[in-house]
Amino acid sequence: MTASKPGPGLSEPTTGRDTILFITATALLLVGAASSLSGGDGLATALWIAATVLGLSYSTVTIAVALRRRRPSVDVIAWLALVGALLVREPLAGAIIAVMLFTGGVLEARASARAARELGALAARAPRIARREGDGGLHEIPVSEVAVGDRLLVGAGEIVPVDGRLLESTSFDESALSGEPMPVERPAGDNVRSGVVNAGRPARMIATETADRSAYSGIVRLVEQAQASTAPFVRLADRFAVAFVPLTLAVAGLAWALSGDPVRAVAVLVVATPCPLLLAAPIAIMSGLSRASRHGVIIKGGAALEQLAAARVLLFDKTGTLTRGRPSISEVVTADGMDADELLRLAASLDQTSAHVLAAAIVTAARDRGIALAPASEVAERPGYGLQGRVDGREVRLGKAVWILADPPPAWVRRARRRAAVEGSLTVFAAVDGRPAGVFLLTDPLRADAPRMMRALRYAGIQRTVLITGDRADIAESVGRIVGTDAVYADRDPAEKLAIVEDEQATAPTIMVGDGVNDAPALAAAAVGVALAARGATASAEAADIVLTSDRIDGLADAIFIARRSHRIARRAAATGMALSAAAMALAAFGLLTPTLGAVLQEGIDVAAIAMALTVLLPGRTHTVVLPAADLAAARRLYVQHTALGPLIEQVRTVADGLTGSSADLKRLGELLDRLEADLLPHERAEEEQLLPIVARALGGPDPTGALSRTHTEIEHQVRRLRRCFEDIGDEPEPDELTDIRAGLYGLHAIMRLHNAQEEENAFSLI
């Protein structure tokens, strides 16, 4: 049995008090049993009566508090059983009931104290001090005074105070946010979140958020919200347990009336406890919440967990959900005479002083290519236009076309604009020493794990997937086809998103996934709103029922598995326990159980139901693939090479564009082929020998790497073919020869783009 849960406004019983009561009652029970076995029946009876009176006093207080709050209490059954045990001279039964009563109190108090302790620990480790670079060196300031754009130093072992962008590479312990125990290496230019610990060397960073808008403070608020909700099934258990009181009294009264023996009535009261409902169901639900948090999923209470278990339709936004949510450079188009790497070096050197999201993309691209940056001076921002400054004595401007270009635009600008329009790219134009020098094309790339996530969600039981976005229809349709959605709604504003969610919700329980402020109304309207808060707290995280704290959306599939398993075990534990209690009531009503035996049996039923509920904590079915440490290290090493080859792959198309007319740049073609043979082909062979066996071991099944192996072969064949064609042409190639080579380059580019997408989805998404 357990004491009634306090209502709103009541103070929870402290763990210490309940533990003392439990230890006292247990000691009285055990010492009394020892005295009885040694022949001291009088002392045993006195000790058992004392334990019974202690339990009776406790239940009287809890009932009085519940009545004052006008809340029903199932402790009435315990109170009547204790009184009955004294009246029919069954003090041993009364002592056992008292121990059962305090056991429930201890479990509840410990669960409440643990939740409070975890929240207190989370809040206690929140960063409070930051070290800011300024005139005269470093200055320690309160984290609340950090402003966007400040340069900060994070020492080894220190907690990152606010969200920012790294100026130097180092590794971080991100377990506080993601649950991932392994340190994560972050290169210069990468984003880093507050609350993670610098596990490497001291590193400088630029603040991109203030403290109150950074990731860690948002997660503390989210965990506070997660404490406040009770699952529908737990509320149903409370109501059912209260309804069980009159049924118990009726059965007890009938047993007494038919037999004339009040002992039978007491025995019925003893075994008629709804503990399997009052304890097993909440324990299973709370265990599910705990297990989900290990996968980087904060579920705001049991209600959200139960709704997640019932959901069948998934709706999601595109930007930041299926895509990375931050731009990256897809291509650098340069004016004649300007080298792409040199332009990127100048631009990134200037942009490293800026906290703008597009600046971060340019700096990251330069770091990925291994380009060393120079310090910038005389940096000034032109609001609404861009940034200007001097790098290595050269004047550099970055920004909008109207600030960089003169009319009419040259041919390379028209080509870049056509490509940007087709691919939905952003453009940042660059000028060097007052002359237009090039343009950076930036896109929001699809997450490598998005297609695998969609398959995992269908495997978890999602029957329908819907993409809702404010982006253009052609781009949305393309993304929808890649990830395999059932429906796509493009060009939708927040009100239209809300209407779509409400329509889908009318047919089946829905999940809405988003990460932007404009997603908040739709998240609130869905049965379950899921927000991605890996880059900080937003309105979407506040409106959502579930928050993914890591930057991986496939954790949602694991959360669905956990929710359904928790719900299933909660019902099974409660139903099994109550069925056994009902059977025990029947036995007691027919005189087949004494109060003492009934108390012992009921304690066993309670323990069995709780043990069944705790099985939620055991490992269950998930879609997560865990790689051995050696495989993980090898895959990460190959991924670094894979990323570094991105510019070379885009250069294939650029060289193909230049093979026109009499001015075809054959020298550049030869240099490209040299690089493909020296850099690309050895990497493809290394992937064939090292990466594909790792993927095969991780995924299993019949030939999971066949397609990847085939494209490795095709890439090498196409490079060899281009080399032969290049060697066969003379100094003045025929137009047909150039056409063949240009077609081969375009074909190679397409194959490599497809191959890289397959690798990122099926291989590198595992890390």
Side-chain angles (χ1 to χ4, degrees):
M1 292 184 182
T2 180
S4 298
K5 298 175 187 176
L10 294 177
S11 58
E12 294 280 358
T14 64
T15 304
R17 185 194 67 188
D18 284 276
T19 301
I20 291 172
L21 290 172
F22 170 74
I23 292 173
T24 302
T26 303
L28 291 171
L29 174 63
L30 295 177
V31 174
S35 298
S36 178
L37 292 174
S38 61
D41 292 339
L43 178 59
T45 299
L47 292 172
W48 290 337
I49 289 175
T52 304
V53 171
L54 185 63
L56 185 62
S57 301
Y58 180 80
S59 61
T60 300
V61 171
T62 58
I63 291 171
V65 171
L67 290 176
R68 189 171 70 248
R69 298 289 180 175
R70 296 183 180 180
R71 291 173 58 88
S73 173
V74 293
D75 282 341
V76 171
I77 297 177
W79 190 89
L80 291 174
L82 290 165
V83 171
L86 292 175
L87 292 177
V88 301
R89 299 179 181 179
E90 291 278 357
L92 176 56
I96 295 174
I97 296 168
V99 172
M100 293 165 58
L101 187 69
F102 295 132
T103 299
V106 167
L107 287 173
E108 284 194 52
R110 283 189 178 277
S112 176
R114 179 178 180 181
R117 185 168 60 250
E118 289 177 348
L119 179 58
L122 194 67
R125 75 179 298 279
R128 291 177 171 80
I129 297 295
R131 288 191 286 171
R132 181 171 61 190
E133 293 183 350
D135 296 336
L138 291 174
H139 305 276
E140 285 196 354
I141 60 172
V143 70
S144 58
E145 295 182 9
V146 175
V148 173
D150 282 352
R151 286 176 173 255
L152 308 176
L153 177 69
V154 183
E158 293 181 353
I159 298 175
V160 175
V162 297
D163 295 358
R165 190 178 76 247
L166 289 173
L167 297 175
E168 298 163 344
S169 63
T170 188
S171 60
F172 292 93
D173 174 3
E174 301 185 352
S175 58
L177 299 185
S178 67
E180 171 58 50
M182 298 294 292
V184 178
E185 187 71 26
R186 295 288 182 190
D190 209 357
N191 294 325
V192 63
R193 294 176 286 165
S194 64
V196 304
V197 178
N198 185 358
R201 63 189 180 189
R204 294 178 303 131
M205 59 176 280
I206 292 179
T208 56
E209 290 287 0
T210 57
D212 60 339
R213 292 184 56 84
S214 289
Y216 198 76
S217 60
I219 288 174
V220 171
R221 290 195 298 271
L222 295 171
V223 173
E224 288 173 341
Q225 294 176 25
Q227 310 290 323
S229 176
T230 303
F233 182 68
V234 175
R235 293 197 296 267
L236 175 63
D238 291 339
R239 292 196 298 269
F240 186 85
V242 171
F244 199 62
V245 173
L247 174 63
T248 299
L249 296 178
V251 173
L254 185 62
W256 188 356
L258 295 178
S259 66
D261 184 3
V263 175
R264 292 193 182 186
V266 174
V268 170
L269 292 173
V270 168
V271 299
T273 172
C275 268
L277 275 172
L278 288 177
L279 289 180
I283 285 173
I285 297 298
M286 294 304 296
S287 297
L289 299 179
S290 174
R291 187 154 187 81
S293 67
R294 300 177 192 174
H295 291 265
V297 182
I298 293 179
I299 301 179
K300 298 181 183 179
L305 184 136
E306 290 215 45
Q307 290 164 347
L308 181 63
R312 293 293 180 272
V313 177
L314 176 71
L315 306 100
F316 45 86
D317 180 45
K318 178 181 72 69
T319 304
T321 303
L322 295 181
T323 63
R324 294 178 185 172
R326 54 183 181 269
S328 64
I329 289 182
S330 60
E331 189 175 355
V332 182
V333 179
T334 60
D336 294 340
M338 173 57 70
D339 179 72
D341 283 352
E342 174 62 12
L343 180 62
L344 183 57
R345 185 186 75 85
L346 295 172
S349 296
L350 177 62
D351 264 339
Q352 66 182 327
T353 63
S354 172
H356 196 280
V357 63
L358 297 184
I362 292 174
V363 172
T364 299
R367 300 287 190 185
D368 288 344
R369 299 188 188 190
I371 297 175
L373 304 185
S377 61
E378 302 178 25
V379 179
E381 183 174 355
R382 285 281 302 272
Y385 289 94
L387 194 69
Q388 66 182 15
R390 299 192 72 83
V391 178
D392 290 339
R394 307 185 72 178
E395 181 190 6
V396 181
R397 282 188 181 185
L398 299 172
K400 292 184 176 180
V402 294
W403 193 42
I404 304 294
L405 303 175
D407 288 328
W412 61 268
V413 172
R414 294 194 297 271
R415 184 171 68 249
R417 282 176 166 169
R418 284 197 305 271
R419 192 161 289 166
V422 170
E423 298 181 356
S425 303
L426 296 173
T427 55
V428 175
F429 286 85
V432 177
D433 295 330
R435 299 181 61 183
V439 57
F440 301 99
L441 273 58
L442 299 100
T443 59
D444 183 14
L446 188 72
R447 287 174 178 262
D449 60 341
R452 288 189 70 244
M453 179 209 69
M454 298 303 294
R455 293 194 294 269
L457 288 166
R458 291 191 184 275
Y459 179 58
I462 296 299
Q463 298 170 357
R464 174 174 165 80
T465 57
V466 180
L467 172 60
I468 314 174
T469 178
D471 212 339
R472 289 173 10 201
D474 56 341
I475 296 175
E477 291 285 352
S478 176
V479 171
R481 283 193 298 270
I482 291 172
V483 301
T485 61
D486 296 306
V488 175
Y489 297 93
D491 295 314
R492 306 294 167 142
D493 60 26
E496 292 170 323
K497 288 185 179 182
L498 177 61
I500 293 170
V501 170
E502 290 174 342
D503 290 343
E504 295 286 347
Q505 179 66 25
T507 60
T510 60
I511 302 170
M512 173 66 193
V513 184
D515 80 330
V517 173
N518 63 336
D519 297 322
L523 292 173
V528 182
V530 179
L532 278 74
R535 288 180 293 278
T538 64
S540 62
E542 301 293 337
D545 304 293
I546 297 173
V547 178
L548 305 182
T549 63
S550 65
D551 200 25
R552 289 185 64 90
I553 48 181
D554 52 358
L556 180 59
D558 288 333
I560 293 174
F561 280 127
I562 291 168
R564 292 185 175 167
R565 183 166 178 260
S566 302
H567 192 257
R568 183 173 63 252
I569 290 175
R571 290 185 177 274
R572 185 185 302 157
T576 301
M578 292 308 295
L580 293 174
S581 293
M585 285 175 62
L587 294 175
F590 285 106
L592 300 177
L593 282 178
T594 65
T596 299
L597 289 176
V600 173
L601 177 61
Q602 186 57 51
E603 185 75 5
I605 293 172
D606 291 347
V607 170
I610 292 171
M612 189 180 297
L614 288 173
T615 59
V616 173
L617 293 174
L618 298 176
R621 183 176 64 165
T622 66
H623 91 290
T624 302
V625 176
V626 180
L627 296 179
D631 287 355
L632 187 61
R636 282 179 171 163
R637 184 178 63 254
L638 290 169
Y639 181 62
V640 171
Q641 299 172 11
H642 169 92
T643 303
L645 287 171
L648 177 59
I649 293 172
E650 291 308 315
Q651 188 181 345
V652 172
R653 183 168 64 175
T654 302
V655 171
D657 290 341
L659 293 179
T660 56
S662 59
S663 60
D665 193 345
L666 297 181
K667 179 181 178 182
R668 195 175 184 188
L669 173 61
E671 292 172 347
L672 171 66
L673 292 173
D674 291 342
R675 287 200 60 194
L676 290 174
E677 291 173 336
D679 298 335
L680 178 68
L681 295 188
H683 171 72
E684 299 299 325
R685 295 178 193 130
E687 286 184 334
E688 182 75 23
E689 296 171 2
Q690 301 172 38
L691 181 64
L692 298 197
I694 292 173
V695 176
R697 288 192 295 270
L699 300 182
D703 196 19
T705 61
L708 293 176
S709 182
R710 179 67 183 88
T711 48
H712 281 155
T713 304
E714 185 63 23
I715 288 171
E716 181 151 0
H717 168 69
Q718 291 297 329
V719 172
R720 299 301 184 203
R721 176 180 171 276
L722 285 166
R723 170 61 75 180
R724 289 195 299 271
C725 291
F726 175 69
E727 292 176 347
D728 287 344
I729 64 176
D731 294 335
E732 297 183 2
E734 297 292 331
D736 289 347
E737 293 176 318
L738 290 179
T739 299
D740 288 343
I741 292 178
R742 188 165 60 248
L745 288 171
Y746 285 136
L748 175 62
H749 178 263
I751 293 171
M752 289 191 296
R753 288 282 299 270
L754 174 62
H755 172 69
N756 282 1
Q758 290 175 326
E759 279 189 336
E760 289 170 0
E761 175 185 341
N762 297 315
F764 293 124
S765 67
L766 299 177
I767 62 173

